Amino acid sequence: MNAAPSSVHVIGGGLAGSEAAWQIASAGVPVVLHEMRGVPGVKTDAHHTDGLAELVCSNSFRSDDWEYNAVGLLHAEMRALDSIIMACGDAHQVPAGGALAVDREGFSAAVTAKLSAHPLVTVVREEIAGLPPEEWDNVIVATGPLTSPALADAILKTTGEESLSFFDAIAPIVHADSIDFDIAWRQSRYDKAGPGGDAAAYVNCPMTKDQYDAFIDALLAGPKAEFKEWEDVPYFDGCLPIEVMAERGRETLRHGPMKPVGLTNPRDPSVKPHAIVQLRQDNALGTLFNMVGFQTKLKYGAQTEVFRMIPGLQDAQFARLGGLHRNTFLNSPKLLDRQLRLKALPRLRFAGQVTGVEGYVESAAMGLLTGRLAAAQALGRDLAPPPPETAIGALVEHITGGHLEGSKFQPMNINYGLLPPLEAPRVDEEGRRILPKDRGRAKKRLMSVRALEALKRWRDSV
């Protein structure tokens, strides 16, 4: 008779930790879920209850359209893998058009009830101060952006002082195929080759003086998001929001991230642009480009309006918009293996936002995967992550090395730019010609169908 598998310990009862615990127990492995909320005198700055999977910000899981939206695709993949977060979200849905929004109290109560009722789940209300006890040989850390100081300090000591970030200075990221290359061109400043040997590693968007002045006016006038009381996010000179730089003088950006020196527009070399916005390749696939030096606190709606004033980006589609906020996350490509284990301490896996994914659903998806990986380990089985053609697999690729070598790792929402690219189809399933304006949408559906087929093969093979 085989010995019963030893317990897996999950630290953190948010979306990722709750999902991980559910997946472990569903595999027949006992799990202990440790949550510090509910301990007298212990709380976080953002939570209001001691319920598991409490939603601290929006009540929306965003688009539920699996065919044409990467978040909806991630929903579909998680449903196919028996996600507790998706099941409880579906059961407590509230009207939100094409999005999946939930009654936050009913949703949290449902997750708490299902986990508390499972015979293989033990919920322990306690804070894990520092690294987990050495006898815990299979641990998932799912503590999110509000990781307790004691645990964060322990991770720092184990991994190195620069391995844990406490705030994001995020520049917007643009889908490469939405850049207008009839206006923009590729060139590195002074044609200098970078570490990858590419002397045309940047995309350049030129501005006249009138265009620059109008852009600065819109930037200064645009509504800005405010920090939450608990964030306490510092500004550093290396990550100043562009609107803060603009406030220091109208010419500041022209002498900073928008300086036009060392660049020549090949369409009219005799005309010197007044300013230039540069975009740098952001992922190894070459499907995403980030706007260099464009971290911002502009509200999202204003960002799309203002940034589409930039010549070459008038039709830009954004994989991620900019921001500056508190967020505890690992330098995952350096620290985690493809099993999402800490290379320096393999008994620890990490899940959720601390790994470098953004968003409720993305965090829960990483909890789902780490739960399955930890359960497989407890059962003595080998399990690889889903293939990169899937949304879940693409997130794993991003946080374990899918970003461009040498670039700074930053958190990311799921988007089609993280999945291996496909050529846009020119005819539909019935052989009818697809108009050029509809090919991008058709390509998204093709990628979604490919993802769900790949996920099904992976699920059925394990």
Side-chain angles (χ1 to χ4, degrees), residues 10 24 87 187 280 379 452:
V10 177
I24 294 163
Q187 180 189 11
R280 180 176 52 230
L379 295 167
L452 293 179

Side-chain angles (χ1 to χ4, degrees), residues 181 183-187 202-204 206 263-267 273 276:
F181 281 96
I183 296 173
W185 75 94
R186 298 192 66 147
Q187 180 189 11
Y202 291 81
V203 171
N204 301 281
L263 299 163
T264 301
N265 189 339
R267 295 179 187 84
I276 289 177

Side-chain angles (χ1 to χ4, degrees), residues 146-158:
L146 298 177
T147 299
S148 70
L151 182 53
D153 288 345
I155 294 170
L156 281 173
K157 290 176 182 176
T158 302

